[in-house]
Amino acid sequence: MVGVIVDCAIYRDGRRAEGPSGLAEALRVARADRDAFLWIGLHEPTEEEFEQVSREFGLHPLAVEDALSAHQRPKLEVYEDSLFLVLKPVDYDDAADTVGTGELMLFLGDSFVVSVRHGTTNPLGSVRERLERNPQVLQHGPTAVMYAVSDSVVDHYMEVAAELHVDLEELEAEVFTPGGAAYGAVASRIYGFKRQVLEFRRATGPLAEPMERLAGTGVPFVHDDSRPFFRDVSDHLTRANEQVEALDRLLSDILSAYLAQVGVRQNDDMRKISAWAAMAAVPTMIAGVYGMNFAHMPELGHPLGYPGVLVLMVAASAGLYRLFKRRGWL
């Protein structure tokens, strides 16, 4: 159990305080003081490891099952003794052009916060350090933790969207550069970015409804003074979702422009092929006429017939070449 506990601390009047090492005793101490709460952080616990936590904190079995399965969409569930919030932190690997998502679950009760993290994306360390430097925020209790974590996750959405936008601008420039990357490489990158933006949208889109609920009224365990802060997070999330939509539209525009360019190049190739075929067809036609083995044909007995036909073939081909060249087919 110790291996999965990232941190465990009691906060009293917004400041970290020494407390019992056992979960049950630490929770009892936190509940005995109205100005104190317990914050425990877990990383990828197993069912057996999480059993003690769920038993001591009285967590709902359905929420516990969701926290262990780690394949949830962002949501907010209200239970009798706690809130259950699912967030999906996002990271962007600029070198590999990939969006990576983790999962972060928060259990919020009257005197405790339990965070369960899955994946390598970890916003909690910086959030805890920042909160501990601002005891006036931590004085609002467990709600302050939920707000700070949500705010950190959503703000990072904005950063990832900005990084994606820079890479998409580079891709757009590559598409419109004459003689750029090969067809297969560019098409693969475009569809790769499409998949990453879709993964990004799965993290940001469903979170809008939980943030709106936290910013409103009627959600238990949420401090009334914190609702304006959740409205601010909701506003930032709306901007992040708008940026994701803009990224998707930009990708669609890039793909449409690229397919149009491919069509134009294919038409150019077909014109070139048709032009060369026409220049080859005329000498073939002339040679076919004079190879029909009839006894009575014009110029068969003329001494200049053979060189005359050769000159005709060359002249016809040269005339077609000049015509196609003037019209831009070659």
Side-chain angles (χ1 to χ4, degrees):
M1 182 65 187
V2 176
V4 300
I5 297 180
V6 179
D7 200 351
C8 179
I10 293 177
Y11 295 90
R12 184 177 290 107
D13 294 325
R15 300 186 182 277
R16 187 171 182 135
E18 295 296 330
S21 57
L23 292 180
E25 183 63 18
L27 183 60
R28 188 193 66 79
V29 170
R31 282 176 170 166
D33 188 343
R34 57 175 303 196
D35 295 324
F37 70 93
L38 176 65
W39 181 4
I40 177 173
L42 307 175
H43 180 227
E44 298 184 352
T46 63
E47 183 176 354
E48 295 76 13
E49 292 168 336
F50 199 51
E51 181 180 358
Q52 179 186 357
V53 176
S54 61
R55 184 177 62 252
E56 297 293 351
F57 290 85
L59 305 179
H60 197 279
L62 292 177
V64 171
E65 181 181 352
D66 289 344
L68 292 173
S69 63
H71 292 289
Q72 305 298 316
R73 68 197 301 269
K75 63 180 181 178
L76 175 66
E77 300 286 353
V78 179
Y79 297 103
E80 183 178 354
D81 298 322
S82 62
L83 293 179
F84 178 60
L85 177 65
V86 179
L87 302 166
K88 293 183 77 71
V90 170
D91 264 336
Y92 181 59
D93 186 348
D94 186 61
D97 293 338
T98 56
V99 173
T101 59
E103 290 199 26
L104 180 59
M105 292 81 166
L106 294 176
F107 293 88
L108 183 73
D110 55 351
S111 300
F112 68 86
V113 178
V114 177
S115 59
V116 182
R117 179 171 60 88
H118 293 268
T120 58
T121 304
N122 180 23
L124 291 179
S126 59
V127 170
R128 190 185 286 262
E129 292 175 2
R130 187 167 64 252
L131 283 174
E132 290 179 353
R133 292 194 301 266
N134 294 275
Q136 68 274 13
V137 178
L138 275 175
Q139 286 178 349
H140 290 90
T143 307
V145 176
M146 179 175 283
Y147 155 71
V149 173
S150 303
D151 185 58
S152 177
V153 170
V154 171
D155 283 350
H156 196 58
Y157 287 163
M158 308 282 285
E159 298 173 7
V160 171
E163 293 176 2
L164 268 170
H165 195 274
V166 170
D167 281 357
L168 288 185
E169 287 179 344
E170 294 176 356
L171 178 62
E172 185 179 26
E174 182 179 344
V175 167
F176 288 100
T177 299
Y183 167 76
V186 174
S188 177
R189 286 196 66 193
I190 292 175
Y191 283 107
F193 273 114
K194 274 281 190 183
R195 289 193 298 270
Q196 304 313 314
V197 171
L198 177 61
E199 185 72 16
F200 196 4
R201 178 182 288 174
R202 287 172 180 166
T204 63
L207 188 58
E209 189 266 342
M211 288 299 107
E212 289 176 359
R213 290 177 61 189
L214 290 170
T217 58
V219 180
F221 307 108
V222 177
H223 199 285
D224 290 338
D225 294 339
S226 67
R227 301 190 192 281
F229 296 97
F230 281 111
R231 281 199 295 270
D232 182 65
V233 175
S234 181
D235 290 341
H236 290 180
L237 181 61
T238 299
R239 289 165 53 194
N241 280 320
E242 290 174 351
Q243 288 187 347
V244 174
E245 292 295 332
L247 290 173
D248 189 58
R249 288 195 300 269
L250 178 59
L251 269 172
S252 298
D253 293 342
I254 293 174
L255 180 60
S256 298
Y258 182 67
L259 292 178
Q261 282 190 335
V262 171
V264 170
R265 286 199 295 267
Q266 288 177 341
N267 289 337
D268 289 341
D269 292 341
M270 288 302 300
R271 284 199 298 266
K272 291 178 181 178
I273 293 172
S274 300
W276 286 110
M279 287 189 291
V282 171
T284 303
M285 180 192 68
I286 296 173
V289 169
Y290 282 94
M292 289 189 293
N293 296 322
F294 290 119
H296 303 285
M297 291 184 67
E299 292 84 30
L300 284 180
H302 198 285
L304 298 178
Y306 176 68
V309 169
L310 292 181
V311 170
L312 177 62
M313 291 180 179
V314 173
S317 298
L320 289 173
Y321 180 82
R322 290 188 61 186
L323 176 64
F324 293 141
K325 192 73 172 177
R326 189 182 305 116
R327 294 187 176 181
W329 285 33
L330 292 174

